[in-house]
Amino acid sequence: WVEGSASGSSSDDMVIEFQNETLVAKRGHRVVGCVPDLICCLDSSSGEAIATEDMRYSLWVSVLLLPAHPLLRTRAALKVVGPAAFGYAVEYQPVALFPVELRTVHELYGCGRR
């Protein structure tokens, strides 16, 4: 179980809150992203993904925010995967619209559906 936050030293830096997974990203007091949207931390030099358990002081990271699928944005889904489900008093605001041309594996290949 990994829990905590990662932040920089300047007021322009981002604070990432996590509990095994990245849950909330803040700039100052403003939330710029939260679950169910994906908050991805990448090594700024190599572009490699950084897992929460590998976060440490002095890492230079780039943060990528990716929109969640519309099914994860429903009222019912947000009760389970939204910020409140993890104890955050944050209202979910999507980082972007989910591109309509993207489809799930189930929609593409009919996996698991009959």
Side-chain angles (χ1 to χ4, degrees):
W1 178 264
V2 180
E3 185 173 14
S5 66
S7 65
S9 57
S10 121
S11 62
D12 289 336
D13 290 337
M14 191 171 288
V15 173
I16 307 289
E17 302 281 342
F18 54 89
Q19 296 173 24
N20 281 357
E21 302 294 334
T22 51
L23 300 173
V24 177
K26 297 179 187 176
R27 263 214 149 126
H29 294 290
R30 188 171 78 89
V31 173
V32 295
C34 66
V35 288
D37 291 336
L38 295 178
I39 304 167
C40 307
C41 296
L42 308 174
D43 182 293
S44 291
S45 336
S46 69
E48 288 187 46
I50 301 172
T52 52
E53 61 269 16
D54 295 326
M55 293 255 202
R56 66 182 187 282
Y57 183 75
S58 80
L59 274 179
W60 287 91
V61 301
S62 297
V63 178
L64 184 64
L65 301 170
L66 302 171
H69 189 276
L71 290 175
L72 293 173
R73 297 177 176 193
T74 65
R75 187 178 310 229
L78 287 173
K79 288 180 182 177
V80 180
V81 298
F86 298 95
Y88 292 94
V90 171
E91 183 179 341
Y92 172 66
Q93 295 294 322
V95 296
L97 294 176
F98 188 82
V100 291
E101 64 275 1
L102 293 180
R103 295 182 286 167
T104 67
V105 171
H106 294 289
E107 292 167 333
L108 285 173
Y109 302 109
C111 299
R113 301 212 180 183
R114 301 228 178 241

